[in-house]
């Protein structure tokens, strides 16, 4: 293969990897629509969960400031109108529950690190390799006053604009050039989308700088304040200066288009663009003030943390200063230095209950930086699946025949006697288990799955007299189940 062919293959593989990561970031949104039919508290098939998730990320991103984010209740209130338009016949309580379910899934509540992990493949020197991509969409952070707020990550913002790992500054410039071009051509509908994407990039740029300052507050040694951060601040200030000129020019053109237009729809779209670009200018103003204070933050944190270099201690010659003199001592005199030596090199045993000082030190330890690529995924060695069903198909069919009781209820004791007469091993145990399960049947699940009947059990206080089983001698009967569509048409309650 020639050099130009190798370079083309490398670029193609890099582009493929970026597209695979982009698909991975959208996978949690598609997963919401895949799992909505399994919700047991509502028939959620009417809701477009991926659209609600995108709207949620949008609302969190717009509400983000440099130091704070969006409150949970604030985001849910903004989602309710969008959700109610999808299902106007449903109750407001169900709309709130859908909003909370989508928000919790975007945060990934219930997992250890509240992050998502997707596997993708890449070509390397060793051939095709499977790798893992870790990312988050929405994160919860604590404000200085103790309130918990939401922030959108870079991956979530990239989902909104349809890109991944894009250079923030170049993307911001490209978005604003596109916006100005669309405005000059009078295409305000497309200009609104470009303006929203420019605002997302503004938020993302501020998020990058905020992460550097937060890392400085945790540990000034974790950030390169000698070269990296000063260069970042200088480039950011230059970026903001150029953006101020561009955005004010764009704002002037939009305002003129809004005031001179006689078309009401054209005027409304121009007014929306004025609000979006004005919000970008306000965000750049706040970002500029934070950049001006960045040096003071570094000096204050340096004084507060009072870190110092590693302690300087003289090195010890174990052979000449410890081993040789100890070998020349009598046995009784050599025991003490040997015991001190082994106690020191053996290390300390962790206490069962940590002290308050060690606990505080552990809690204040800075979070280690995570690598996006966690290495190659090992191929698991799968064992043959064990057979977990102790009852065969014949036993289930016989149990279905015994428990088909559409007219006259029967006692569990009588059903157990009939099961023993069949001489089928395991049939009495299966009948007893299904009778116990019928004491609290899942009528709602059976109705959604379209089943025609369900087994019901009632305890009237009679005790079960059986050599193998104890408890109540339940009354068993089957009842018909109306389907969801039939109930809505007739107006009856199942």
């Amino acid at each position: 293969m020639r050099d130009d062919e190798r370079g083309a293959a490398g670029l193609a593989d890099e582009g493929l990897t970026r597209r695979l990561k982009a698909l991975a970031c959208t996978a949690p949104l598609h997963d919401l629509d895949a799992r909505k039919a399994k919700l047991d508290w509502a028939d959620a098939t009417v809701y477009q969960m991926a659209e609600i998730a995108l709207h949620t990320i949008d609302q969190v991103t717009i509400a983000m400031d440099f130091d704070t984010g969006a409150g949970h209740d604030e985001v849910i209130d903004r989602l309710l109108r969008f959700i109610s338009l999808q299902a106007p016949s449903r109750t407001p309580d169900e709309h709130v529950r859908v909003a909370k379910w989508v928000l919790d899934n975007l945060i990934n509540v219930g997992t250890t690190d509240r992050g998502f992990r997707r596997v993708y493949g890449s070509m390397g020197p060793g051939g095709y390799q499977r790798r893992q991509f870790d990312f988050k969409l929405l994160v919860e952070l604590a404000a200085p006053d103790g309130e918990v707020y939401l922030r959108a990550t870079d991956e979530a913002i990239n989902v909104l604009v349809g890109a991944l790992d894009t250079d923030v500054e170049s993307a911001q410039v490209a978005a604003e050039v596109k916006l100005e071009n669309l405005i000059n051509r009078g295409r305000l509908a497309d200009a609104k989308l470009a303006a929203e994407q420019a605002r997302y990039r503004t938020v993302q740029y501020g998020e990058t700088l905020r992460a550097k300052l937060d890392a400085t507050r945790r540990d000034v040694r974790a950030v390169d304040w000698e070269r990296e951060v000063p260069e970042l601040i200088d480039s950011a200030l230059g970026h903001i200066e150029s953006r101020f000129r561009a955005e004010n020019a764009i704002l002037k053109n939009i305002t003129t288009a809004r005031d001179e237009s006689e078309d009401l729809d054209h005027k409304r779209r121009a007014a929306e663009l004025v609000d979006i670009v004005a919000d970008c200018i306000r965000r750049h103003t706040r970002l500029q003030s934070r950049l001006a204070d960045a040096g003071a933050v570094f000096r204050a944190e340096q004084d507060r943390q009072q870190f110092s270099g590693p302690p300087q201690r003289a090195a010890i010659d174990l052979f000449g200063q410890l081993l040789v003199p100890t070998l020349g001592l009598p046995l009784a005199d050599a025991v003490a230095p040997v015991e001190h030596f082994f106690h020191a090199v053996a290390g300390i045993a962790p206490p069962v209950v940590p002290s308050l000082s060690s606990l505080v030190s552990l809690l204040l330890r800075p979070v280690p930086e995570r690598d996006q690529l966690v290495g190659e995924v090992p191929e698991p060695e799968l064992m043959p699946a064990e057979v977990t069903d102790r009852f065969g198909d014949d036993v289930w069919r016989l149990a279905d025949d015994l428990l088909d009781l559409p007219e006259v209820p029967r006692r569990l004791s009588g059903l157990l006697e009939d099961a023993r007469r069949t001489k089928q091993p395991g049939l009495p145990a299966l009948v007893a288990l299904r009778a116990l399960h019928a004491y609290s049947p899942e009528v709602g699940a059976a109705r959604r799955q379209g089943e025609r009947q369900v087994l019901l059990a009632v305890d009237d206080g009679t005790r079960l007299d059986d050599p193998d089983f104890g408890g109540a001698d339940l009354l068993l009967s089957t009842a018909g189940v109306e389907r969801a569509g039939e109930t809505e048409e007739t107006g009856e309650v199942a």
Side-chain angles (χ1 to χ4, degrees), residues 113-183:
D113 59 349
R114 295 195 170 184
F116 299 95
R117 172 172 292 183
R118 289 295 182 270
V119 178
Y120 69 97
S122 63
M123 295 296 296
Y128 185 81
Q129 295 179 344
R130 288 182 173 85
R131 298 185 179 276
Q132 293 175 343
F133 174 52
D134 292 335
F135 64 95
K136 295 182 179 180
L137 295 178
L138 297 182
V139 295
E140 291 180 315
L141 299 175
D145 57 358
E147 294 293 331
V148 177
Y149 59 88
L150 297 169
R151 294 190 72 90
T153 62
D154 286 344
E155 290 82 4
I157 298 176
N158 284 324
V159 168
L160 290 176
V161 297
L164 185 72
D165 290 342
T166 307
D167 178 68
V168 177
E169 184 172 358
S170 60
Q172 176 77 12
V173 174
E176 290 175 352
V177 171
K178 177 182 178 182
L179 173 60
E180 184 176 8
N181 184 31
L182 291 172
I183 292 172

Side-chain angles (χ1 to χ4, degrees), residues 52 78 119 121 159 166 175 178 199 203 276 315 366 373 378 381 400 405 426 455 471:
I52 298 174
R78 293 184 178 183
V119 178
V159 168
T166 307
K178 177 182 178 182
R199 179 167 59 179
V203 174
I276 295 175
L373 301 177
E381 296 181 2
D400 290 337
L405 309 170
L455 183 64

Side-chain angles (χ1 to χ4, degrees), residues 17-32:
T17 301
R18 293 167 66 87
R19 292 193 295 270
L20 291 174
K21 287 184 177 180
L23 289 175
C25 290
T26 61
L29 278 65
H30 301 302
D31 186 56
L32 294 177

